[in-house]
Amino acid sequence: MAMASIARTPSLLELAGTSAYRQRDPTKTAAWQAVHEHWQDYRAEVARSHDGRRLPAFVEAAAKKFLGCGMHSSGFARVRCRDCGDNLLVPFSCKQRGICSSCDGRRMAEQAAHLVDEIFPRVATRQWVLTWPHWLRFRLAFDATLLTGALKVWVKTVEGWYRKQARDEWGIAEGKCASIQGLQRFGDALTLNPHIHSIFCEGVWYDADGNDTPVFMPLRGPTDEEVQEIAMDARRRTLRWLIRKGVLEPGEDFDEDESALAEDDPVLAWCTKAAVLDRIAVGRNAGQLVARLRAESVEPKKMGRRCAVADGFNIHANVRIGPMAKAHLERLCRYILRPALCNARLERLPDGRIVARLKRRWSDGTWAKLFEPIDFLAKVSALIPQPGRNLLRYHGQFAPQGRWRDKIVIGPQRRKKAGCAEGSAEEKQRRLSWAQLLKRVFLIDILECHKCGGRRELISVIQDSNTVSKILDHVGIPSEPPRFEPARAPPEEQWLDDSWD
């Protein structure tokens, strides 16, 4: 059932006013410096280590575009103050995922605003986090089809729990759920860790009067014991689905380590790798998991409030957002859509190495990780998602084919209440502008002139390279686009045997 739009109460920061816009300098970040100085070294090392093979084309393109992100030489927009005539040149962004924290940050803010303003109705929501076992993460990170299937299994598991509660406690036989899924490919300090952040509406929709009008029934949150049961159910459903797809033999999990021993004999190398990975080496089932027999059955363990783990399947469901707390819901959406890299926690040492500080100190006292530049670039390359792979998914009644989607999401209702005429500019606008996002998230008003306090307006968008160079040379801004530093020659071999002389 569509809910009426309610005005959001301004926060204390909003009441304090906006701040002036300051253009960022990407060349001072550790990630940009590493890409600029060591990308060619990284490419050369990949070619030497893998018989001349190259990096994927989308990774090469992402690095090249990232180098020009925020640079005027890549093009810019010209805005001018209506009162004093002051000009400001705003450079374009690269729009790359995984490698550019600035563009990922804009995408995060835009998608979070869209979810809060256009999708989620005024009902309570709950975050569910699923982390898969280590042995499954590698396959899910690089097999998009497998990841989509595992995601669907997870969504059906949680939806089944909500629908069962509605049926057993309220007699609702055909309850419908709605949720969004944020796929994160990273963990703390650049680790490759694909996992799911789901936001479910805390309840179900059903047709009470038989006239195809959805009514929302709020439901309670899960208990600690129910979270443990859901963890076991998610494990059972996922393993059964993987067996059905032929990914593994009926057995248990294993420790997947793709770094196998290097051997001269390819057959021996494969047998060694199969033994390390606990896979079947030859025969009809080659490559599948070796079946295991357990002396004891798997039991879920409580890890905290509404948090449980069952044989590597970790579930956390203790974050709930009330129906009126839209600001908290938007912060949660930003969290699940956040960039993989955080420039504030990256630092480049004088010798070129990269320090990546952890968000929280680990139990063993580790507070940061230290990377060589080439290894840092290798870690970043693994975090770049393949083109066309959506990291934000809609399920249930939020999906495009949802039966009551148009009656549940608040977008059509909000635009109707606002009195927008059909076909108007506001009705057609689907995305927030960059200026609107800066003001909404960081309270920075780029359209406010810092000299006279007047309002700026867009004059033109400059993309032609010759025009860009002429304007930049005239105003004294470097017009030469940045280029990768050439690869360094490998160190000369040291001769240990001097019997030749």
Side-chain angles (χ1 to χ4, degrees), residues 31 35 39 59 62-63 66 94 96-101 104 341 380 384:
V35 172
W39 187 258
V59 175
F66 168 68
C94 65
Q96 299 304 300
R97 299 188 297 175
I99 190 172
C100 183
S101 59
D104 275 341
L341 297 180
V380 173
I384 301 176

Side-chain angles (χ1 to χ4, degrees), residues 65-92:
K65 293 180 180 179
F66 168 68
L67 202 64
C69 183
M71 300 291 184
H72 290 88
S73 56
S74 300
F76 53 85
R78 179 189 172 195
V79 294
R80 182 177 63 187
C81 179
R82 300 171 183 172
D83 298 334
C84 66
D86 181 64
N87 285 281
L88 177 65
L89 305 182
V90 183
F92 294 152

Side-chain angles (χ1 to χ4, degrees), residues 37 134 150 211 217 307 336 367 481 496:
E37 297 181 15
H134 289 276
N211 56 1
M217 170 57 70
C307 182
I336 70 175
W367 61 273
L496 300 180

Side-chain angles (χ1 to χ4, degrees), residues 422-437:
E422 185 177 357
S424 65
E426 185 177 352
E427 178 74 15
K428 294 180 179 179
Q429 182 178 357
R430 299 182 57 188
R431 301 179 59 182
L432 292 176
S433 66
W434 180 56
Q436 291 172 321
L437 290 174

Side-chain angles (χ1 to χ4, degrees), residues 366-431:
T366 303
W367 61 273
K369 288 186 177 181
L370 186 63
F371 299 96
E372 293 293 336
I374 295 179
D375 186 39
F376 172 79
L377 296 178
K379 297 294 189 297
V380 173
S381 299
L383 301 180
I384 301 176
Q386 297 180 5
R389 306 301 184 187
N390 294 325
L391 302 182
L392 177 63
R393 313 283 181 90
Y394 298 86
H395 286 85
Q397 297 306 299
F398 287 163
Q401 70 275 15
R403 175 184 175 185
W404 294 318
R405 187 183 192 276
D406 292 339
K407 300 178 181 180
I408 290 177
V409 298
I410 64 175
Q413 176 80 2
R414 183 182 63 82
R415 288 192 292 268
K416 185 177 180 181
K417 290 290 185 180
C420 299
E422 185 177 357
S424 65
E426 185 177 352
E427 178 74 15
K428 294 180 179 179
Q429 182 178 357
R430 299 182 57 188
R431 301 179 59 182

Side-chain angles (χ1 to χ4, degrees), residues 141-210:
F142 296 101
D143 192 334
T145 303
L146 196 67
L147 177 61
T148 299
L151 174 61
K152 291 181 179 178
V153 172
W154 161 247
V155 172
K156 289 182 180 179
T157 302
V158 180
E159 286 184 349
W161 179 81
Y162 277 118
R163 298 179 67 179
K164 183 178 183 300
Q165 182 190 157
R167 182 174 59 253
D168 295 345
E169 300 182 7
W170 298 95
I172 301 175
E174 298 295 334
K176 304 293 184 182
C177 300
S179 63
I180 63 102
Q181 325 297 324
L183 275 64
Q184 290 189 358
R185 294 172 49 86
F186 57 91
D188 205 0
L190 305 182
T191 56
L192 182 62
N193 178 21
H195 58 285
I196 302 175
H197 289 257
S198 305
I199 301 181
F200 277 82
C201 293
E202 192 89 311
V204 296
W205 279 268
Y206 68 102
D207 187 0
D209 302 327

Side-chain angles (χ1 to χ4, degrees), residues 249-267:
E249 281 284 289
E252 302 301 335
D253 63 306
F254 71 109
D255 183 15
E256 179 160 3
D257 183 4
E258 286 296 318
S259 58
L261 300 176
E263 301 286 348
D264 296 333
D265 190 333
V267 178

